[in-house]
Amino acid sequence: MDFSEDNTKGFVLALLSSGFIGASFIIKKKGLRRAAATSGVRAGVGGYSYLLEPLWWLGMITMIVGEVANFVAYAFAPAVLVTPLGALSIIVSAVLAHFILNEKLHKLGILGCVMCIVGSVIIVIHAPQEHPITSVQEIWSMATQPAFLLYMASVTVLVFILVIHFAPQCGHTNVLVFTGICSLMGSLSVMSVKALGTSLKLTFEGKNQLIYPETWFFMLVVATCVITQMIYLNKALDTFNTAVVSPIYYVMFTTLAILASVIMFKDWDGQSGGTIVSEICGFIVVLSGTILLHSTKDFERSSSFRGNFAPVSPSLSTRLCSGNGELLKYEEEEVTPPEEVCLRRQEVY
C-alpha cells in the first residue's frame, strides 16, 4: 500500500514527538540533579528548588513541544500508526541516559530497543491510509455508529465498576485495577484527541469547525478523560513498582486505543488479511520490546546487590500522565547505599 502524504506527515510528527519527549526526560533529570546539588534537598523528598533551575524548565518546554507534535500527528495519521510509535520515546531516553547520565543500558535493554525499532518499521510499512474527513460532523457520525456506541458503553460500565467496586477493595493490591481505569479512559481520550485535532486542522485550512457544538464536546471529553487518567495513574504509581506499572499500562492502553480506532475510524477497512496480520505482529514486537526495556531496569538494580554489593547509579522511573499516553515524568528513586546494607547485616548478626 502506498504511504499517503498525510501518513507521512503523521509519521514524521510522531517521530519528532518521541524524540522531544525522550530528550526531555534527560534534560529534566539533569536539572533535578543540578537543583539537588545546589539546595541539598531532592525533589523526591519534597524539594522544589528545581522550579528555579533553567535546565528543568528547558526539559518541560521540550516535553510540551513533543506533546503538541503528538497531538497534531493524530490529525494526519491513524491511531494504529501514531500510538505504537510512542514507544520510541523510551528508546531515546534509554540511549541518552546511557551516554549522558551514565545509567547503564543492559544487553537485554539494547535488544528491547532493537525490537521496538523493528516493530515500528513493520507497523509503518503496513499502516493503513487515513480516510479523508471533511467536517467534524462526519467524525460525529463515526462516533455515534452502533459499534462504537457499544464500545463506549462497555468502557463506561467497566470504568464505573472498577472505580466503585474494585478500587476500594483491591485497588491497592491488584495493579490491573488502577491501570485498567487509565487504559480504558485513555482509549476514549485518543479518539477524542484525534477528533479534536482533525477539527482544528480543518479550521486552519479555512473550514471553520469551531462553530459546531461537536468540536467543543470532543474537547470536554478530552479534558475529562485526561484528568481521570492522571488521577488513577498517579495512584497506581504511588502504590506499585513503576517498572511493573509502566509496561502493563502501555500494553493495555495501546491495545485498547488501536481497538477503538479500528472500530470508530474503520482503519482496517480495505486492507488484506496479510497486511492486518503484519500490523498486529509489528505491534506485538513493539510491546515485547517495551516490556523488555522496562524489566531490565529492575534487573540491573537488583543484580548490583549480589556478590560485592557494587554501587549503582540512580535509575529512572516512568510516569505516563497524558491522554495519548505519551506524557512521562522521571524521578530519581531511593537506593539504599551498599555500606548501609552491610552495617544493617552486622547489627542483625
Side-chain angles (χ1 to χ4, degrees), residues 19 22 28 40 61 86 88 95 102 124-125 131 149 161 163 211 225 228 231 237 246 257 266 301 310-311 314 316:
K28 288 200 297 180
I61 294 172
L88 298 179
V95 172
N102 296 320
V124 169
I125 292 174
H131 300 294
L149 287 176
I161 292 175
V163 170
I211 59 175
C225 292
T228 305
I231 292 173
L237 290 165
S246 297
K266 311 293 183 184
R301 187 162 61 248
L316 296 176

Side-chain angles (χ1 to χ4, degrees), residues 139-204:
I139 303 176
W140 181 258
S141 66
M142 296 178 183
T144 54
Q145 60 184 306
F148 191 71
L149 287 176
L150 178 61
Y151 176 82
M152 283 196 300
S154 302
V155 167
T156 304
V157 171
L158 284 173
V159 167
F160 270 106
I161 292 175
L162 288 172
V163 170
I164 295 174
H165 180 70
F166 288 100
Q169 293 189 1
C170 54
H172 294 277
T173 57
N174 192 328
V175 68
L176 295 178
V177 176
F178 291 149
T179 54
I181 296 171
C182 298
S183 302
L184 289 166
M185 294 300 290
S187 66
L188 296 183
S189 68
V190 166
M191 296 304 99
S192 301
V193 163
K194 182 167 180 58
L196 181 60
T198 304
S199 300
L200 295 177
K201 172 191 169 187
L202 293 171
T203 299
F204 290 134

Side-chain angles (χ1 to χ4, degrees), residues 47-286:
Y48 294 98
S49 60
Y50 61 87
L51 294 175
L52 301 177
E53 177 56 53
L55 196 59
W56 185 85
W57 282 107
L58 177 61
M60 282 299 298
I61 294 172
T62 305
M63 176 170 283
I64 292 172
V65 172
E67 288 300 326
V68 171
N70 190 76
F71 176 85
V72 178
Y74 279 108
F76 289 98
V80 175
L81 172 62
V82 176
T83 305
L85 292 178
L88 298 179
S89 63
I90 302 174
I91 298 177
V92 174
S93 63
V95 172
L96 290 178
H98 177 79
F99 290 104
I100 298 177
L101 301 178
N102 296 320
E103 297 184 356
K104 183 181 177 183
L105 182 60
H106 194 269
K107 290 181 179 179
L108 289 178
I110 297 175
L111 176 60
C113 291
V114 173
M115 291 175 66
C116 288
I117 293 173
V118 171
S120 298
V121 170
I122 295 173
I123 291 172
V124 169
I125 292 174
H126 298 93
Q129 290 191 20
E130 188 90 280
H131 300 294
I133 298 175
T134 58
S135 70
V136 69
Q137 293 175 319
E138 185 178 345
I139 303 176
W140 181 258
S141 66
M142 296 178 183
T144 54
Q145 60 184 306
F148 191 71
L149 287 176
L150 178 61
Y151 176 82
M152 283 196 300
S154 302
V155 167
T156 304
V157 171
L158 284 173
V159 167
F160 270 106
I161 292 175
L162 288 172
V163 170
I164 295 174
H165 180 70
F166 288 100
Q169 293 189 1
C170 54
H172 294 277
T173 57
N174 192 328
V175 68
L176 295 178
V177 176
F178 291 149
T179 54
I181 296 171
C182 298
S183 302
L184 289 166
M185 294 300 290
S187 66
L188 296 183
S189 68
V190 166
M191 296 304 99
S192 301
V193 163
K194 182 167 180 58
L196 181 60
T198 304
S199 300
L200 295 177
K201 172 191 169 187
L202 293 171
T203 299
F204 290 134
E205 290 177 350
K207 304 174 184 177
N208 188 9
Q209 303 297 307
L210 300 179
I211 59 175
Y212 300 109
E214 290 87 350
T215 300
W216 299 99
F217 176 80
F218 286 129
M219 190 178 297
L220 177 63
V221 174
V222 169
T224 303
C225 292
V226 169
I227 291 172
T228 305
Q229 280 180 270
M230 291 179 66
I231 292 173
Y232 283 94
L233 191 54
N234 283 327
K235 288 185 177 182
L237 290 165
D238 188 53
T239 306
F240 304 99
N241 192 320
T242 314
V244 175
V245 174
S246 297
I248 291 176
Y249 173 68
Y250 179 80
V251 170
M252 294 176 65
F253 162 75
T254 309
T255 303
L256 289 170
I258 290 176
L259 175 61
S261 181
V262 168
I263 295 174
M264 179 173 171
F265 291 98
K266 311 293 183 184
D267 291 329
W268 286 345
D269 280 10
Q271 287 196 299
S272 64
T275 302
I276 295 174
V277 170
S278 297
E279 290 177 30
I280 294 175
C281 290
F283 175 53
I284 292 174
V285 172
V286 171

